[in-house]
Amino acid sequence: MTAKLVVLISGNGSNLQALIDAIRMKVLPAEIVLVVANRTTAFGLERAKQAGIPAGYLLLKPYLDAGRTRVEYDADLAKMLAASKPDWVVLAGWMHILSAAFLKHFPYRVVNLHPALPGKFPGAHAIEEAFAAFQRGEIKQTGCMVHLVPDEAVDAGPVIGVAETPIYRSDTLEMLANRLHQAEHKLLVQSLQRLIVGDDEEDE
Ligand code: GAR
């Protein structure tokens, strides 16, 4: 079975690229049917275009400017995705907290990637926070994880995959971020392999 993926992005899209490459190399039995960004400038939209993947964006600001709510935005986002009938919705650097108005349409089918170990440094600045905690002597390593998003909790949910990443005394923030991103690219592909193959085994 080839799983249908919708990938949500906000920025560079290097993890989207890792998925595109893994599919192209036939190591991930999947097809990316749609990429959606919440920023017009997200470079990941260009990556999708280069790969011939349908891509678009939905901005929150016009909703708020018109006196509409995040819940209405989330409901419309869900509609936009539902038309593609995804097996998995992958949050690959999606910097917007999804409400139940979105999640109820894809129960246990939303997967998030986060650059920290389970339970550590939720939010948009996980790498900076881990780096600072290391400097204070509070942690010795960090990592990244892929987890299901069953509810509105931020960067939390049943864990699918974890990779520990060392921090070295000589690291700059940029060096640590690069090491984490490399680990994420592998972990995201491995975690989706696990989910997709697991689905197939249940069907047998
Ligand atoms: C990744 O490091 C991802 O884990 C992080 O955004 C980055 C996106 O990179 N997500 C979060 O922090 C979610 N809380 P990319 O656009 O190059 O794939």
Side-chain angles (χ1 to χ4, degrees):
M1 180 212 171
T2 301
K4 286 185 179 185
L5 310 181
V6 169
V7 183
L8 301 188
I9 58 163
S10 297
N12 179 18
S14 69
N15 286 283
L16 165 67
Q17 189 67 54
L19 294 178
I20 292 171
D21 294 345
I23 291 169
R24 205 172 271 157
M25 304 285 284
K26 300 200 185 306
V27 296
L28 187 63
E31 178 192 1
I32 303 174
V33 290
L34 180 66
V35 170
V36 179
N38 64 347
R39 291 184 190 143
T40 51
T41 52
F43 182 64
L45 289 174
E46 186 57 35
R47 296 180 190 268
K49 201 171 130 196
Q50 290 294 326
I53 299 167
Y57 54 82
L58 189 66
L59 307 180
L60 174 62
K61 193 169 177 292
Y63 281 75
L64 302 181
D65 288 349
R68 300 177 70 200
T69 63
R70 291 176 72 95
V71 166
E72 287 176 274
Y73 171 87
D74 282 5
D76 283 352
L77 182 67
K79 257 188 231 155
M80 191 173 173
L81 268 60
S84 305
K85 298 196 187 322
D87 295 304
W88 296 101
V89 177
V90 184
L91 311 183
W94 174 253
M95 299 306 194
H96 168 85
I97 298 164
L98 292 166
S99 65
F102 178 91
L103 295 170
K104 70 179 180 190
H105 294 278
F106 309 102
Y108 286 90
R109 291 280 147 178
V110 180
V111 178
N112 183 43
L113 170 69
H114 185 60
L117 294 171
K120 308 275 187 206
F121 312 117
H125 305 289
I127 304 177
E128 291 88 335
E129 286 173 18
F131 188 68
F134 175 81
Q135 308 292 335
R136 294 193 299 267
E138 292 166 10
I139 58 168
K140 290 198 162 60
Q141 60 174 13
T142 184
C144 51
M145 66 166 163
V146 171
H147 64 92
L148 295 178
V149 184
D151 55 32
E152 296 178 17
V154 178
D155 298 317
V159 174
I160 309 299
V162 176
E164 290 176 350
T165 305
I167 313 178
Y168 303 112
R169 288 208 169 280
S170 55
D171 272 348
T172 60
L173 176 60
E174 195 191 0
M175 286 158 79
L176 175 61
N178 283 339
R179 191 176 306 123
L180 270 168
H181 291 318
Q182 295 300 324
E184 285 189 310
H185 298 161
K186 278 195 203 127
L187 182 71
L188 183 59
V189 171
Q190 283 167 359
S191 301
L192 281 164
Q193 277 167 339
R194 197 169 300 158
L195 288 170
I196 293 167
V197 173
D199 261 3
D200 268 2
E201 282 169 359
E202 268 177 36
D203 291 346
E204 279 165 13

